[in-house]
Amino acid sequence: MRKENAVSVTVGQLNGRMTRARIAALRASGKLLPSKAPIEQDQKRILRPNSKRAALDENNTRANENVLVRYKKRAVLQDVTNVCCDRTYGSCFRTTKLQAKHDKQAKKGVLKVSKVAPAIAANLQVKSKKKIVQQARREEPKSEVLSSNTLEKEVASRLNYIQKLDTDINQLQNQTSRVLLEAHGPPKIEKCGLFKSSLTSSDTGFTDIDCDEKDPQLCSLYALDIYSNLRVAELDRRPIPTFMETIQKDISQSMRGILVDWLVEVSEEYKLVPDTLYLTVYLIDWFLSQNYIERHRLQLLGITCMLIASKYEEICAPRVEDFCFITDNTYTKEEVIAMEIQVLKYFGFQIFAPTTKTFLRRFLRAAQACYKSPSYELEYLADYLAELTLVEYSFLNFLPSLIAASAVFLARWTLDQTSHPWNPTLEHYSSYKASDLKSTVHAIQDQQLRTSGCPLNAVRMKYKQQKFKSVAALTSPELLATLFLKVE
C-alpha cells in the first residue's frame, strides 16, 4: 500500500493504522498537526527535473545547440505561415465574409453593385461602412441609361419610320399588281379535286402542292428548300457517263445490264423498297466511274452495293449470309465484308445521293394535283418507265431529275391523249419545259416499246403483276411534235 493512502503513526494515546479519513478527522478536531513531509517531497519532485536539466545542459552543449536550431526552424515556419495567411488566405477568408455581407446588403437595396473583386473587397474591409458604399458606387460600371423622355421620343420616331415604310411597300405592291393586270389580264387559277383551296401564282397559274401542312411526312414547309438542295447535289455527285469506254476494260455495257436486271429480281425476292434498288445502281455506277474491276468480281460489287443500300434504306436489312446465298455461295462472307470496306472507303462513307426515285415522288405529286382522286395507274406506270432506265447504260447521260420528269410526261401521255401531258404546275416544280424533255422522253419510249428480242425482262415481269395494275402491258402512242412546244 502506498504511503499517501495509509500511514501508521502514534499520536498521544492513539495507536494503530491511520487512514486518510481518520487523519482528516483528527486534524479537524485539532488533535493532529499538519505534516511537512509531503511538502518536502513535492519540493524535491519539483527540483529534481530542474537539476537534471541543468546537469544535462552543462554536460551536453551539442544537444543544447540542436534544441536552439529546432526552435529557430519552428519560428521560421511560423513566420512564413503568417505571411501567407496575411497575403492570400486571410484575404480570401475576409473577402468571402465581406462578399456575404455585401450580398445581404445588395438584397436589402443598400448597394447596387452585383459583384466585387477580391482585391477590392480586402481593401474595403479596413474602411468603414460609409467608405465601402462610396467605393462600391465609384467602381459600379456606368450604364448608358436613357431618360424616360428620350426613350419615348426614340420609340415614337422609330414607329413613325416603320409606318412610313409600310405605306411605301403597299404603294409599290399596288403599282406592280396594276401593271401585271394591264399586261397579262386576270390570273389563271387551276381548281383541282385534291387542292381546291390551294394558292396559285398570279402570273403562271400553277397549283400550290405544298399548301397541305397536315401531313408531316410531306415536309410542306421545307419541301422547296429540300429539293433545291437536291438539284444541286445531283450535279455534284453524278457518275461519269463514259466510264465503260475510259476506265473499264474487262466488263461491258451488256454485263452491267445483266447485273442490274438480276438485282431487280433480288430486290423482289427480299421485298426491298424501290429506293434501295435505285441507290444500289447508283453506287455501282459511282464506284465503276473511278475504279477498275474484273468481270469475276462484278457480281460481288453488285451484292455489296445492295448490302450497303439496304443498311441505309431498309428497316430490317438482309444479312451478309443472305447475299452470299443468293449468289449460290459464289462469294464468301469474308469477301463480301472486304469488298464493303473497299467501297465505303472510296465513298468516304457518303452514301446518300438524289436518285430518279427521289424526284419522281415530287413530280408525281404535282401531276396528281389536277385529278379528283389519286391515279395509282399513273404512279405505277411512271415507276415502271423510270426503272426501265436503270438497266440501260446510255441513260447515265441524263440527270435523275430529267428522267423522272420525262417518265411522268410519258406516263400521262400513255394514259390520256386528250390533254397535254405537261402543265404549268409540272413545269414549275420540275423546272423543265416540255421542250427540255424531248430527247429523254423519246429514249424512254424506245425502252417501253422494246418488248420483243430483249433478254432483260425482270422489270417488265415485275410490273406485269396485278398489284401494279399490269402497267407493263400498256404501250404509248406516237409522240407528236406539238407536244414539245411551249405550253400556254
Side-chain angles (χ1 to χ4, degrees), residues 167-204:
T167 54
D168 294 340
I169 291 170
N170 291 330
Q171 291 176 1
L172 286 173
Q173 288 178 350
N174 293 330
Q175 291 177 2
T176 52
S177 61
R178 288 173 186 173
V179 172
L180 289 173
L181 284 173
E182 292 174 359
H184 302 285
K188 300 177 183 179
I189 300 176
E190 292 186 8
K191 294 183 179 180
C192 305
L194 295 177
F195 305 97
K196 288 183 180 179
S197 62
S198 60
L199 301 175
T200 56
S201 174
S202 60
D203 53 349
T204 57

Side-chain angles (χ1 to χ4, degrees), residues 10 153 166 216 220 364 402 404 416:
T10 303
K153 291 179 181 179
D166 291 337
S220 300
L364 281 172
L402 184 61
D416 185 14

Side-chain angles (χ1 to χ4, degrees), residues 298-328:
L298 182 61
Q299 190 179 14
L300 175 62
L301 174 65
I303 62 172
T304 302
C305 291
M306 182 162 277
L307 173 65
I308 296 171
S310 300
K311 291 179 179 179
Y312 188 87
E313 296 287 353
E314 300 291 333
I315 297 175
C316 298
R319 301 177 302 168
V320 181
E321 292 82 1
D322 296 331
F323 287 106
C324 294
F325 172 78
I326 206 70
T327 62
D328 198 14

Side-chain angles (χ1 to χ4, degrees), residues 134-243:
Q134 292 176 359
Q135 184 71 15
R137 288 177 178 174
R138 286 176 188 173
E139 297 192 358
E140 183 179 5
K142 296 180 180 180
S143 59
E144 298 179 359
V145 181
L146 298 175
S147 63
S148 60
N149 295 329
T150 54
L151 281 174
E152 290 177 358
K153 291 179 181 179
E154 185 78 16
V155 172
S157 62
R158 291 185 180 181
L159 286 174
N160 293 331
Y161 179 71
I162 292 170
Q163 291 175 358
K164 189 177 180 181
L165 283 177
D166 291 337
T167 54
D168 294 340
I169 291 170
N170 291 330
Q171 291 176 1
L172 286 173
Q173 288 178 350
N174 293 330
Q175 291 177 2
T176 52
S177 61
R178 288 173 186 173
V179 172
L180 289 173
L181 284 173
E182 292 174 359
H184 302 285
K188 300 177 183 179
I189 300 176
E190 292 186 8
K191 294 183 179 180
C192 305
L194 295 177
F195 305 97
K196 288 183 180 179
S197 62
S198 60
L199 301 175
T200 56
S201 174
S202 60
D203 53 349
T204 57
F206 68 89
T207 305
D208 185 9
I209 65 175
D210 294 323
C211 64
D212 186 12
E213 300 178 358
K214 295 181 180 180
D215 190 356
Q217 293 184 350
L218 297 177
C219 303
S220 300
L221 295 175
Y222 317 105
L224 288 175
D225 295 332
I226 290 171
Y227 280 92
S228 297
N229 293 329
L230 291 176
R231 294 297 292 272
V232 177
E234 71 171 344
L235 295 172
D236 186 35
R237 304 172 66 82
R238 184 182 179 186
I240 299 174
T242 58
F243 63 83

Side-chain angles (χ1 to χ4, degrees), residues 263-278:
L263 289 173
V264 173
E265 296 179 353
V266 175
S267 65
E268 280 293 293
E269 180 69 23
Y270 291 128
K271 294 180 173 55
L272 305 179
V273 296
D275 298 84
T276 304
L277 177 63
Y278 280 92

Side-chain angles (χ1 to χ4, degrees), residues 55-75:
L56 186 64
D57 292 339
E58 290 175 358
N59 297 329
N60 194 358
T61 57
R62 189 171 297 175
N64 192 12
E65 290 175 1
N66 292 334
V67 171
L68 292 175
V69 171
R70 191 181 303 119
Y71 284 147
K72 286 182 181 179
K73 286 182 180 180
R74 289 180 181 176

Side-chain angles (χ1 to χ4, degrees), residues 17-72:
R17 187 170 175 272
M18 298 294 293
T19 61
R20 283 187 179 184
R22 193 172 183 182
I23 292 171
L26 291 173
R27 285 177 182 173
S29 60
K31 294 181 180 180
L32 183 65
L33 296 177
S35 178
K36 296 181 180 179
I39 298 173
E40 293 177 355
Q41 289 179 358
D42 293 338
Q43 288 178 355
K44 289 180 182 179
R45 200 176 289 150
I46 294 170
L47 293 175
R48 192 175 298 158
N50 292 335
S51 61
K52 286 182 180 180
R53 186 178 291 271
L56 186 64
D57 292 339
E58 290 175 358
N59 297 329
N60 194 358
T61 57
R62 189 171 297 175
N64 192 12
E65 290 175 1
N66 292 334
V67 171
L68 292 175
V69 171
R70 191 181 303 119
Y71 284 147
K72 286 182 181 179

Side-chain angles (χ1 to χ4, degrees), residues 345-362:
K345 282 184 178 180
Y346 169 71
F347 293 154
F349 292 87
Q350 301 296 321
I351 303 303
F352 173 75
T355 61
T356 302
K357 186 63 177 178
T358 308
F359 297 101
L360 195 59
R361 288 192 179 92
R362 178 73 165 171

